[in-house]
Amino acid sequence: MLDSRYSLADGIDAIEPAYVSMLAYAAQGRRDTAGGLSGEIRDHLRNILVMLDGLAERCPTAFVGAAAEAAAALDAFVDVLDVDLAKARAAVRMVLTQRTIRSEVIDNLNAAIRLRALPTNLFLVRGFAAAGAAA
């Protein structure tokens, strides 16, 4: 369900640093989650889940006033994005069920195409919205 407290920009701005932190965590090669990093990575994963909920529904609001051709293209892209978001949520939820979150698990999560494509797709939406707003 769409949480009106978060805008599309909020979602993008929260997901980007969380993803970057996950890349750094994965690169550390940790065999366990000692030292408090497990809590930090769990917080990032939980933040991602919160921001993913309803994110696809927020995309059309970024394109208010778009030409009919652009609006149709956006609708098609939002359909693809919604599927990717559902798959990313499922992967993140699975990782959060683990008692310990090892670096290699986060590395594999980062490599999962649905999660890896997510920031890029969201940047594409943000760029399209910015270009549309400037037109």
Side-chain angles (χ1 to χ4, degrees):
M1 172 164 232
L2 182 63
D3 185 337
S4 62
R5 295 177 296 170
Y6 304 109
S7 69
L8 175 63
D10 291 335
I12 293 170
D13 291 344
I15 290 168
E16 180 182 15
Y19 185 73
V20 169
S21 293
M22 289 168 52
L23 290 173
Y25 184 81
Q28 293 173 11
R30 292 185 161 275
R31 293 185 176 267
D32 59 34
T33 55
L37 291 175
S38 177
E40 183 178 328
I41 202 67
R42 282 182 193 282
D43 288 345
H44 285 303
L45 292 171
R46 287 184 192 114
N47 285 341
I48 287 173
L49 281 179
V50 167
M51 292 302 170
L52 291 180
D53 284 338
L55 198 57
E57 291 88 0
R58 290 183 186 91
C59 290
T61 63
F63 296 92
V64 172
E69 183 179 344
L74 171 65
D75 285 343
F77 186 75
V78 168
D79 289 343
V80 171
L81 183 61
D82 198 32
V83 170
D84 286 349
L85 290 169
K87 291 178 180 182
R89 281 191 303 269
V92 170
R93 283 186 183 113
M94 182 186 70
V95 170
L96 280 170
T97 67
Q98 302 301 302
R99 189 173 62 80
T100 59
I101 302 176
R102 297 167 49 138
S103 292
E104 63 196 77
V105 170
I106 296 300
D107 190 35
N108 289 326
L109 180 61
N110 290 340
I113 191 67
R114 298 297 179 208
L115 199 64
R116 189 171 22 148
L118 187 59
T120 304
N121 287 342
L122 293 173
F123 298 152
L124 180 62
V125 169
R126 180 167 48 191
F128 191 91

PDB file of all heavy atoms in Angstrom, residues 48-75:
ATOM      1  N   ILE A  48      15.291  -0.216   2.827  1.00  0.00           N
ATOM      2  CA  ILE A  48      14.992  -0.526   1.434  1.00  0.00           C
ATOM      3  C   ILE A  48      13.580  -1.073   1.312  1.00  0.00           C
ATOM      4  O   ILE A  48      12.817  -0.661   0.440  1.00  0.00           O
ATOM      5  CB  ILE A  48      16.034  -1.508   0.852  1.00  0.00           C
ATOM      6  CG1 ILE A  48      17.361  -0.776   0.621  1.00  0.00           C
ATOM      7  CG2 ILE A  48      15.536  -2.129  -0.445  1.00  0.00           C
ATOM      8  CD1 ILE A  48      18.498  -1.684   0.202  1.00  0.00           C
ATOM      9  N   LEU A  49      13.215  -1.991   2.211  1.00  0.00           N
ATOM     10  CA  LEU A  49      11.862  -2.563   2.155  1.00  0.00           C
ATOM     11  C   LEU A  49      10.789  -1.492   2.303  1.00  0.00           C
ATOM     12  O   LEU A  49       9.803  -1.486   1.570  1.00  0.00           O
ATOM     13  CB  LEU A  49      11.678  -3.612   3.256  1.00  0.00           C
ATOM     14  CG  LEU A  49      12.278  -4.978   2.994  1.00  0.00           C
ATOM     15  CD1 LEU A  49      12.022  -5.897   4.179  1.00  0.00           C
ATOM     16  CD2 LEU A  49      11.744  -5.590   1.713  1.00  0.00           C
ATOM     17  N   VAL A  50      10.988  -0.588   3.244  1.00  0.00           N
ATOM     18  CA  VAL A  50      10.001   0.477   3.462  1.00  0.00           C
ATOM     19  C   VAL A  50       9.861   1.322   2.202  1.00  0.00           C
ATOM     20  O   VAL A  50       8.755   1.641   1.772  1.00  0.00           O
ATOM     21  CB  VAL A  50      10.401   1.360   4.672  1.00  0.00           C
ATOM     22  CG1 VAL A  50       9.576   2.632   4.724  1.00  0.00           C
ATOM     23  CG2 VAL A  50      10.263   0.580   5.966  1.00  0.00           C
ATOM     24  N   MET A  51      10.973   1.666   1.593  1.00  0.00           N
ATOM     25  CA  MET A  51      10.927   2.543   0.426  1.00  0.00           C
ATOM     26  C   MET A  51      10.440   1.833  -0.834  1.00  0.00           C
ATOM     27  O   MET A  51       9.879   2.468  -1.723  1.00  0.00           O
ATOM     28  CB  MET A  51      12.302   3.164   0.176  1.00  0.00           C
ATOM     29  CG  MET A  51      12.695   4.142   1.246  1.00  0.00           C
ATOM     30  SD  MET A  51      11.466   5.470   1.375  1.00  0.00           S
ATOM     31  CE  MET A  51      12.003   6.276   2.861  1.00  0.00           C
ATOM     32  N   LEU A  52      10.614   0.512  -0.908  1.00  0.00           N
ATOM     33  CA  LEU A  52      10.151  -0.215  -2.089  1.00  0.00           C
ATOM     34  C   LEU A  52       8.633  -0.331  -2.129  1.00  0.00           C
ATOM     35  O   LEU A  52       8.046  -0.370  -3.210  1.00  0.00           O
ATOM     36  CB  LEU A  52      10.765  -1.616  -2.128  1.00  0.00           C
ATOM     37  CG  LEU A  52      12.257  -1.703  -2.401  1.00  0.00           C
ATOM     38  CD1 LEU A  52      12.708  -3.158  -2.416  1.00  0.00           C
ATOM     39  CD2 LEU A  52      12.637  -1.016  -3.691  1.00  0.00           C
ATOM     40  N   ASP A  53       8.011  -0.363  -0.969  1.00  0.00           N
ATOM     41  CA  ASP A  53       6.550  -0.486  -0.929  1.00  0.00           C
ATOM     42  C   ASP A  53       5.895   0.745  -1.554  1.00  0.00           C
ATOM     43  O   ASP A  53       6.113   1.863  -1.126  1.00  0.00           O
ATOM     44  CB  ASP A  53       6.054  -0.666   0.510  1.00  0.00           C
ATOM     45  CG  ASP A  53       6.297  -2.069   1.028  1.00  0.00           C
ATOM     46  OD1 ASP A  53       6.440  -2.986   0.206  1.00  0.00           O
ATOM     47  OD2 ASP A  53       6.354  -2.241   2.251  1.00  0.00           O
ATOM     48  N   GLY A  54       5.143   0.519  -2.589  1.00  0.00           N
ATOM     49  CA  GLY A  54       4.425   1.595  -3.252  1.00  0.00           C
ATOM     50  C   GLY A  54       5.258   2.477  -4.161  1.00  0.00           C
ATOM     51  O   GLY A  54       4.749   3.456  -4.700  1.00  0.00           O
ATOM     52  N   LEU A  55       6.521   2.123  -4.351  1.00  0.00           N
ATOM     53  CA  LEU A  55       7.389   2.993  -5.151  1.00  0.00           C
ATOM     54  C   LEU A  55       6.945   3.079  -6.612  1.00  0.00           C
ATOM     55  O   LEU A  55       6.950   4.159  -7.198  1.00  0.00           O
ATOM     56  CB  LEU A  55       8.839   2.510  -5.062  1.00  0.00           C
ATOM     57  CG  LEU A  55       9.913   3.497  -5.470  1.00  0.00           C
ATOM     58  CD1 LEU A  55       9.826   4.780  -4.649  1.00  0.00           C
ATOM     59  CD2 LEU A  55      11.290   2.889  -5.305  1.00  0.00           C
ATOM     60  N   ALA A  56       6.526   1.973  -7.189  1.00  0.00           N
ATOM     61  CA  ALA A  56       6.080   2.009  -8.590  1.00  0.00           C
ATOM     62  C   ALA A  56       4.859   2.911  -8.753  1.00  0.00           C
ATOM     63  O   ALA A  56       4.729   3.610  -9.755  1.00  0.00           O
ATOM     64  CB  ALA A  56       5.777   0.594  -9.085  1.00  0.00           C
ATOM     65  N   GLU A  57       3.977   2.906  -7.738  1.00  0.00           N
ATOM     66  CA  GLU A  57       2.787   3.747  -7.816  1.00  0.00           C
ATOM     67  C   GLU A  57       3.135   5.231  -7.747  1.00  0.00           C
ATOM     68  O   GLU A  57       2.358   6.080  -8.182  1.00  0.00           O
ATOM     69  CB  GLU A  57       1.806   3.402  -6.692  1.00  0.00           C
ATOM     70  CG  GLU A  57       1.167   2.040  -6.847  1.00  0.00           C
ATOM     71  CD  GLU A  57       1.980   0.920  -6.203  1.00  0.00           C
ATOM     72  OE1 GLU A  57       3.051   1.195  -5.624  1.00  0.00           O
ATOM     73  OE2 GLU A  57       1.549  -0.234  -6.295  1.00  0.00           O
ATOM     74  N   ARG A  58       4.294   5.549  -7.203  1.00  0.00           N
ATOM     75  CA  ARG A  58       4.706   6.949  -7.106  1.00  0.00           C
ATOM     76  C   ARG A  58       5.263   7.478  -8.424  1.00  0.00           C
ATOM     77  O   ARG A  58       5.298   8.678  -8.640  1.00  0.00           O
ATOM     78  CB  ARG A  58       5.766   7.109  -6.017  1.00  0.00           C
ATOM     79  CG  ARG A  58       5.231   6.929  -4.629  1.00  0.00           C
ATOM     80  CD  ARG A  58       6.360   7.188  -3.611  1.00  0.00           C
ATOM     81  NE  ARG A  58       5.899   6.878  -2.292  1.00  0.00           N
ATOM     82  CZ  ARG A  58       6.019   5.682  -1.710  1.00  0.00           C
ATOM     83  NH1 ARG A  58       6.591   4.696  -2.336  1.00  0.00           N
ATOM     84  NH2 ARG A  58       5.564   5.487  -0.499  1.00  0.00           N
ATOM     85  N   CYS A  59       5.732   6.584  -9.286  1.00  0.00           N
ATOM     86  CA  CYS A  59       6.368   7.022 -10.529  1.00  0.00           C
ATOM     87  C   CYS A  59       5.485   7.909 -11.395  1.00  0.00           C
ATOM     88  O   CYS A  59       5.950   8.944 -11.873  1.00  0.00           O
ATOM     89  CB  CYS A  59       6.863   5.817 -11.326  1.00  0.00           C
ATOM     90  SG  CYS A  59       8.268   4.996 -10.561  1.00  0.00           S
ATOM     91  N   PRO A  60       4.226   7.551 -11.650  1.00  0.00           N
ATOM     92  CA  PRO A  60       3.414   8.407 -12.522  1.00  0.00           C
ATOM     93  C   PRO A  60       3.268   9.840 -12.019  1.00  0.00           C
ATOM     94  O   PRO A  60       3.118  10.761 -12.826  1.00  0.00           O
ATOM     95  CB  PRO A  60       2.064   7.696 -12.566  1.00  0.00           C
ATOM     96  CG  PRO A  60       2.395   6.266 -12.318  1.00  0.00           C
ATOM     97  CD  PRO A  60       3.527   6.319 -11.321  1.00  0.00           C
ATOM     98  N   THR A  61       3.344  10.063 -10.727  1.00  0.00           N
ATOM     99  CA  THR A  61       3.228  11.427 -10.218  1.00  0.00           C
ATOM    100  C   THR A  61       4.407  12.289 -10.655  1.00  0.00           C
ATOM    101  O   THR A  61       4.293  13.508 -10.679  1.00  0.00           O
ATOM    102  CB  THR A  61       3.125  11.444  -8.674  1.00  0.00           C
ATOM    103  OG1 THR A  61       4.326  10.917  -8.120  1.00  0.00           O
ATOM    104  CG2 THR A  61       1.930  10.650  -8.192  1.00  0.00           C
ATOM    105  N   ALA A  62       5.502  11.640 -11.018  1.00  0.00           N
ATOM    106  CA  ALA A  62       6.680  12.385 -11.480  1.00  0.00           C
ATOM    107  C   ALA A  62       6.521  12.847 -12.921  1.00  0.00           C
ATOM    108  O   ALA A  62       7.322  13.624 -13.410  1.00  0.00           O
ATOM    109  CB  ALA A  62       7.933  11.524 -11.339  1.00  0.00           C
ATOM    110  N   PHE A  63       5.469  12.373 -13.600  1.00  0.00           N
ATOM    111  CA  PHE A  63       5.299  12.664 -15.013  1.00  0.00           C
ATOM    112  C   PHE A  63       4.014  13.398 -15.323  1.00  0.00           C
ATOM    113  O   PHE A  63       3.505  13.329 -16.434  1.00  0.00           O
ATOM    114  CB  PHE A  63       5.337  11.362 -15.814  1.00  0.00           C
ATOM    115  CG  PHE A  63       6.659  10.675 -15.718  1.00  0.00           C
ATOM    116  CD1 PHE A  63       6.870   9.724 -14.742  1.00  0.00           C
ATOM    117  CD2 PHE A  63       7.687  10.991 -16.574  1.00  0.00           C
ATOM    118  CE1 PHE A  63       8.087   9.087 -14.633  1.00  0.00           C
ATOM    119  CE2 PHE A  63       8.911  10.358 -16.474  1.00  0.00           C
ATOM    120  CZ  PHE A  63       9.109   9.404 -15.494  1.00  0.00           C
ATOM    121  N   VAL A  64       3.471  14.090 -14.350  1.00  0.00           N
ATOM    122  CA  VAL A  64       2.238  14.839 -14.565  1.00  0.00           C
ATOM    123  C   VAL A  64       2.476  15.843 -15.695  1.00  0.00           C
ATOM    124  O   VAL A  64       3.476  16.561 -15.710  1.00  0.00           O
ATOM    125  CB  VAL A  64       1.805  15.560 -13.267  1.00  0.00           C
ATOM    126  CG1 VAL A  64       0.639  16.486 -13.529  1.00  0.00           C
ATOM    127  CG2 VAL A  64       1.464  14.532 -12.198  1.00  0.00           C
ATOM    128  N   GLY A  65       1.581  15.831 -16.648  1.00  0.00           N
ATOM    129  CA  GLY A  65       1.698  16.748 -17.776  1.00  0.00           C
ATOM    130  C   GLY A  65       2.546  16.221 -18.919  1.00  0.00           C
ATOM    131  O   GLY A  65       2.780  16.941 -19.882  1.00  0.00           O
ATOM    132  N   ALA A  66       2.992  14.964 -18.843  1.00  0.00           N
ATOM    133  CA  ALA A  66       3.798  14.401 -19.921  1.00  0.00           C
ATOM    134  C   ALA A  66       2.946  14.205 -21.168  1.00  0.00           C
ATOM    135  O   ALA A  66       1.729  14.001 -21.080  1.00  0.00           O
ATOM    136  CB  ALA A  66       4.400  13.066 -19.489  1.00  0.00           C
ATOM    137  N   ALA A  67       3.587  14.267 -22.310  1.00  0.00           N
ATOM    138  CA  ALA A  67       2.890  14.018 -23.573  1.00  0.00           C
ATOM    139  C   ALA A  67       2.348  12.595 -23.577  1.00  0.00           C
ATOM    140  O   ALA A  67       2.840  11.730 -22.857  1.00  0.00           O
ATOM    141  CB  ALA A  67       3.857  14.228 -24.735  1.00  0.00           C
ATOM    142  N   ALA A  68       1.330  12.339 -24.388  1.00  0.00           N
ATOM    143  CA  ALA A  68       0.663  11.033 -24.428  1.00  0.00           C
ATOM    144  C   ALA A  68       1.648   9.908 -24.724  1.00  0.00           C
ATOM    145  O   ALA A  68       1.597   8.843 -24.097  1.00  0.00           O
ATOM    146  CB  ALA A  68      -0.452  11.046 -25.467  1.00  0.00           C
ATOM    147  N   GLU A  69       2.562  10.120 -25.649  1.00  0.00           N
ATOM    148  CA  GLU A  69       3.549   9.084 -25.997  1.00  0.00           C
ATOM    149  C   GLU A  69       4.455   8.786 -24.803  1.00  0.00           C
ATOM    150  O   GLU A  69       4.737   7.634 -24.494  1.00  0.00           O
ATOM    151  CB  GLU A  69       4.388   9.534 -27.192  1.00  0.00           C
ATOM    152  CG  GLU A  69       5.388   8.483 -27.644  1.00  0.00           C
ATOM    153  CD  GLU A  69       6.190   8.943 -28.846  1.00  0.00           C
ATOM    154  OE1 GLU A  69       5.795   9.914 -29.524  1.00  0.00           O
ATOM    155  OE2 GLU A  69       7.220   8.311 -29.103  1.00  0.00           O
ATOM    156  N   ALA A  70       4.883   9.825 -24.108  1.00  0.00           N
ATOM    157  CA  ALA A  70       5.726   9.642 -22.926  1.00  0.00           C
ATOM    158  C   ALA A  70       4.949   8.952 -21.812  1.00  0.00           C
ATOM    159  O   ALA A  70       5.489   8.090 -21.113  1.00  0.00           O
ATOM    160  CB  ALA A  70       6.266  10.988 -22.453  1.00  0.00           C
ATOM    161  N   ALA A  71       3.698   9.312 -21.653  1.00  0.00           N
ATOM    162  CA  ALA A  71       2.871   8.699 -20.613  1.00  0.00           C
ATOM    163  C   ALA A  71       2.676   7.205 -20.878  1.00  0.00           C
ATOM    164  O   ALA A  71       2.731   6.389 -19.954  1.00  0.00           O
ATOM    165  CB  ALA A  71       1.524   9.407 -20.520  1.00  0.00           C
ATOM    166  N   ALA A  72       2.486   6.830 -22.129  1.00  0.00           N
ATOM    167  CA  ALA A  72       2.331   5.412 -22.478  1.00  0.00           C
ATOM    168  C   ALA A  72       3.625   4.649 -22.218  1.00  0.00           C
ATOM    169  O   ALA A  72       3.598   3.525 -21.703  1.00  0.00           O
ATOM    170  CB  ALA A  72       1.914   5.276 -23.941  1.00  0.00           C
ATOM    171  N   ALA A  73       4.741   5.254 -22.565  1.00  0.00           N
ATOM    172  CA  ALA A  73       6.043   4.620 -22.306  1.00  0.00           C
ATOM    173  C   ALA A  73       6.262   4.469 -20.806  1.00  0.00           C
ATOM    174  O   ALA A  73       6.768   3.446 -20.335  1.00  0.00           O
ATOM    175  CB  ALA A  73       7.165   5.438 -22.940  1.00  0.00           C
ATOM    176  N   LEU A  74       5.876   5.473 -20.049  1.00  0.00           N
ATOM    177  CA  LEU A  74       6.016   5.413 -18.595  1.00  0.00           C
ATOM    178  C   LEU A  74       5.165   4.294 -18.014  1.00  0.00           C
ATOM    179  O   LEU A  74       5.634   3.530 -17.175  1.00  0.00           O
ATOM    180  CB  LEU A  74       5.616   6.738 -17.955  1.00  0.00           C
ATOM    181  CG  LEU A  74       5.532   6.708 -16.429  1.00  0.00           C
ATOM    182  CD1 LEU A  74       6.892   6.457 -15.808  1.00  0.00           C
ATOM    183  CD2 LEU A  74       4.923   7.978 -15.905  1.00  0.00           C
ATOM    184  N   ASP A  75       3.928   4.181 -18.470  1.00  0.00           N
ATOM    185  CA  ASP A  75       3.047   3.118 -17.970  1.00  0.00           C
ATOM    186  C   ASP A  75       3.676   1.744 -18.191  1.00  0.00           C
ATOM    187  O   ASP A  75       3.649   0.894 -17.305  1.00  0.00           O
ATOM    188  CB  ASP A  75       1.684   3.178 -18.647  1.00  0.00           C
ATOM    189  CG  ASP A  75       0.818   4.315 -18.123  1.00  0.00           C
ATOM    190  OD1 ASP A  75       1.129   4.848 -17.039  1.00  0.00           O
ATOM    191  OD2 ASP A  75      -0.155   4.662 -18.812  1.00  0.00           O
TER     192      ASP A  75
END
